[in-house]
Amino acid sequence: MKSTFSTLIISFGLIFAACKSEKKEISPLKQIETPTVIPKQSLNDFMIGKWETQYIKIEYKTYQKTDSSHVFEDDFSKPNSGRAQSKYANDGTFNAWFKQPDSSKVGETNGNWKTRGSDSLYIDYQYLGKQVQVWYIIEQKGNQFKGTVTYDWDNDGENDDTLIMKSKRIQ
């Protein structure tokens, strides 16, 4: 009886071990390949580099304190037109200028920039003797962005003018 009991225990142990090892072989599921999701680049990293504005539109609700609205648009893709360009450095500084058709630079200015969250770009610079501090909402699109900001672009004391700018990365 003792040998039968020992044989039974050993057999049970072997069956248990066999089942356990069999489970180990069966339990791992085949690796299911999941698509690689490339995370969207942070706005801070995205902005670093050189940019050229392709299009700008400013909608003035009450142009210079009148009850008339006004729209300014410029498409810089036209041949022989100047180019609004800028360079954002990783130290939080930027410079911007207007490149004439003859490649000369005019209207150069320097300032500071920072980002908040995934879509807010703050820039601070001097322009025509005035300190400009604005928050753009940025929509990233590949190597391009669309920036939108409401500010007092006509200097009438009202932050009611909306600027829309489309820019592309340049070398």
Side-chain angles (χ1 to χ4, degrees):
M1 176 94 170
K2 197 173 191 183
S3 71
T4 308
F5 184 73
S6 294
T7 307
L8 186 61
I9 296 228
I10 291 172
S11 297
F12 182 77
L14 289 173
I15 291 170
F16 181 75
C19 288
K20 198 169 189 179
S21 68
E22 190 176 343
K23 281 186 181 176
K24 283 183 184 175
E25 291 174 19
I26 293 173
S27 65
L29 297 174
K30 287 184 178 178
Q31 287 288 343
I32 299 172
E33 291 186 32
T34 56
T36 305
V37 177
I38 299 171
K40 189 175 185 180
Q41 189 176 22
S42 76
L43 182 58
N44 193 72
D45 292 340
F46 177 76
M47 290 306 300
I48 295 171
K50 291 183 179 180
W51 295 93
E52 183 173 277
T53 300
Q54 303 293 295
Y55 171 80
I56 192 167
K57 178 179 180 180
I58 305 174
E59 297 174 340
Y60 303 95
K61 299 258 185 204
T62 54
Y63 188 65
Q64 297 179 342
K65 291 196 174 193
T66 65
D67 62 357
S68 299
S69 63
H70 178 72
V71 175
F72 169 81
E73 280 186 275
D74 203 349
D75 181 351
F76 299 105
S77 65
K78 297 173 188 166
N80 297 322
S81 70
R83 307 275 190 230
Q85 297 181 337
S86 58
K87 180 180 179 185
Y88 290 77
N90 61 5
D91 66 357
T93 61
F94 80 95
N95 60 333
W97 60 91
F98 195 77
K99 187 176 178 182
Q100 299 284 29
D102 67 1
S103 295
S104 64
K105 289 182 182 180
V106 296
E108 192 163 2
T109 188
N110 299 303
N112 297 304
W113 69 281
K114 64 182 177 181
T115 61
R116 185 182 301 160
S118 63
D119 68 351
S120 297
L121 170 66
Y122 173 78
I123 59 172
D124 179 10
Y125 62 98
Q126 284 272 331
Y127 185 69
L128 299 176
K130 182 180 176 185
Q131 192 67 30
V132 178
Q133 299 174 320
V134 294
W135 281 101
Y136 281 88
I137 300 299
I138 301 294
E139 294 176 44
Q140 297 179 37
K141 296 178 182 181
N143 279 328
Q144 300 180 10
F145 72 84
K146 176 182 171 187
T148 306
V149 63
T150 300
Y151 187 71
D152 181 17
W153 295 111
D154 62 355
N155 297 312
D156 67 358
E158 300 291 328
N159 283 338
D160 63 349
D161 309 316
T162 302
L163 179 143
I164 299 167
M165 166 178 65
K166 295 178 182 177
S167 296
K168 72 173 184 174
R169 187 177 302 280
I170 59 173
Q171 297 301 320

